[in-house]
Amino acid sequence: MLIDTTLREGAQLFGAYFNTSMKEAIFSGLLALGVNELEIGWVGQDGLEELVGRVRKGTGRTRLSVWSPCREADVRAAASLGVDRINIGVPVSDLHIEKRLGTDREGLKERLARTVLAAGLLGIDYISVGLEDVSRADPAFALETACLARDLGASRVRLADSLGVLIPPETADLVRTFRSRLDMDLAVHCHDDFGMGTANALTALKSGADFADCSILGIGERSGIAATEELAAYLSIREESHAYRTEGLRALCSRVSEAAGIPIPRTKAVAGEDIFACESGIHAHALGRSPALFEPYDPDRVSARRTLAVGGKSGRAAIAHALHRSGLPHREDDIPALLEAVRDRAHRLRRPLTAAEFAELALIPEKEIPC
């Protein structure tokens, strides 16, 4: 169960500014993907009321939520938006309680009680309480706060590894601890500061969490969070436990990349241009026999394409396969000289050859092939 927060956490990315049309395009792509919940922004965000008004209808089964600080005034503002859910953030580490909020543990619980009760009185049916910086908090106090939220009428507790310091086994332990005490929805928000965001989110789902936050390309504060496209692809393609519509993922990633000014690395999981590209001789030859030998899933599942090219890493079998695939006339005796010419040109160009470049070399008479 994915809570996409590209329009909230993702919009907090340094230097990212999404205009209304960009937000609507991203929103439409996420609806098409079929995420379970869309956290569309935060209370006080410029243009939030207008955006909610424009997209509120026609969301189907996807729930619409907003994030709010743990303050009664902000909860009232959230209630006026008419969204399905409100996500109230409350820090539970002593460092945040003292330095950020200027209070103590008892003061924090009092503030939480007032805010959650106010949300209930305002008619908000589904209240989620996010325990921020839970990975650096006193576990007993964090669990006590979660139980308080439950007793006050909250529907969900969200565990936030706000600085991305956990590893999967620690995430599993954290989720199991809360799962054993809470008979309510449980979510996680995993930051990616040490590259563990997606792995932690997936581990949490496998360890008893009902929801995991994510954003397209993992964008967000600092290094961002778990990546929507990676989680959706794994859950739908590898695990086959969900029915996210992954064919539009790459187009959605490109849209977010353009809107946020974040280039997509060509080897980026799911979204990269070259994730189904192969030059290596052994792998290229094997792919020619059966793609399943070196591809984890069919490229069509994410609307990608397979690219086989010859270059400096190719061997005789790859050259022969390329000649056969291209329908170029050749003799077996031509292959050694052609292989040497291909490798030489690829090293000079510092890349694999295009189909036209390969054909040019293949059609040169043997005695004229530059060696």
Side-chain angles (χ1 to χ4, degrees):
M1 301 283 279
L2 300 182
I3 304 172
D4 185 278
T5 181
T6 305
L7 296 175
R8 196 278 293 179
E9 175 73 46
Q12 293 175 238
L13 170 69
F14 180 81
Y17 292 88
F18 300 155
N19 60 34
T20 301
S21 63
M22 289 176 181
K23 290 177 181 178
E24 289 191 54
I26 294 168
F27 185 91
S28 296
L30 291 167
L31 281 184
L33 173 62
V35 295
N36 309 91
E37 181 175 332
L38 252 163
E39 191 172 49
I40 197 169
W42 63 87
V43 174
Q45 182 181 14
D46 290 342
L48 178 61
E49 186 173 358
E50 177 191 1
L51 179 62
V52 172
R54 292 169 71 99
V55 304
R56 184 164 38 202
K57 294 180 180 179
T59 56
R61 298 172 122 187
T62 299
R63 302 296 90 191
L64 207 59
S65 65
V66 295
W67 184 90
S68 171
C70 189
R71 291 193 295 257
E72 293 177 66
D74 291 298
V75 165
R76 281 194 293 273
S80 69
L81 294 170
V83 295
D84 303 304
R85 299 173 177 179
I86 180 172
N87 299 313
I88 300 171
V90 54
V92 289
S93 68
D94 290 328
L95 181 63
H96 274 260
I97 293 171
E98 178 186 353
K99 300 295 184 182
R100 178 176 156 199
L101 299 184
T103 187
D104 56 19
R105 293 182 179 184
E106 288 304 313
L108 177 77
K109 290 192 292 184
E110 290 175 8
R111 177 184 295 196
L112 177 63
R114 290 195 305 268
T115 305
V116 173
L117 288 173
L121 291 172
L122 288 164
I124 299 173
D125 293 330
Y126 193 102
I127 303 166
S128 176
V129 173
L131 305 186
E132 299 174 4
D133 205 24
V134 70
S135 45
R136 299 192 299 171
D138 172 16
F141 177 69
L143 189 55
E144 179 185 349
T145 305
C147 291
L148 174 63
R150 176 202 59 197
D151 295 343
L152 291 166
S155 300
R156 181 173 68 203
V157 164
R158 182 158 64 173
L159 308 175
D161 180 18
S162 302
L163 295 186
V165 296
L166 297 180
I167 60 174
E170 294 169 331
T171 299
D173 288 343
L174 179 70
V175 169
R176 288 171 186 145
T177 297
F178 279 79
R179 179 77 287 160
S180 68
R181 293 288 303 277
L182 298 175
D183 184 19
M184 61 192 303
D185 284 346
L186 190 62
V188 293
H189 182 89
C190 302
H191 273 263
D192 199 43
D193 295 81
F194 289 95
M196 301 289 170
T198 298
N200 280 335
L202 183 60
T203 297
L205 290 173
K206 288 180 171 291
S207 301
D210 303 289
F211 298 89
D213 286 9
C214 50
S215 70
I216 294 294
L217 298 177
I219 63 171
E221 293 278 6
R222 303 184 314 279
S223 299
I225 62 172
T228 300
E229 68 277 5
E230 295 172 6
L231 287 172
Y234 188 92
L235 292 170
S236 299
I237 299 174
R238 171 62 177 166
E239 195 173 85
E240 299 183 338
S241 60
H242 293 70
Y244 298 114
R245 295 178 285 276
T246 55
E247 292 78 10
L249 270 175
R250 290 164 64 85
L252 180 56
C253 287
S254 295
R255 186 174 295 133
V256 171
S257 169
E258 181 181 358
I262 299 293
I264 300 176
R266 62 188 180 90
T267 55
K268 172 73 170 67
V270 181
E273 180 66 24
D274 288 344
I275 59 172
F276 290 100
C278 182
E279 176 193 356
S280 174
I282 295 175
H283 287 192
H285 185 234
L287 286 170
R289 293 188 170 188
S290 173
L293 290 170
F294 284 107
E295 288 178 352
Y297 54 90
D298 188 329
D300 288 342
R301 295 297 303 273
V302 293
S303 299
R305 60 185 177 87
R306 181 180 300 115
T307 301
L308 298 178
V310 294
K313 307 177 191 69
S314 298
R316 291 184 60 169
I319 297 296
H321 182 71
L323 287 166
H324 178 75
R325 188 173 67 245
S326 305
L328 293 168
H330 66 281
R331 298 172 303 170
E332 288 298 317
D333 291 345
D334 295 337
I335 291 179
L338 179 57
L339 172 60
E340 191 172 346
V342 165
R343 288 177 171 176
D344 177 70
R345 183 170 291 191
H347 281 296
R348 285 190 282 110
L349 294 174
R350 300 177 65 83
R351 60 168 173 78
L353 304 190
T354 65
E357 290 166 343
F358 175 68
E360 177 189 349
L361 287 181
L363 294 174
I364 296 175
E366 178 182 354
K367 64 180 180 180
E368 298 179 17
I369 292 179
C371 296

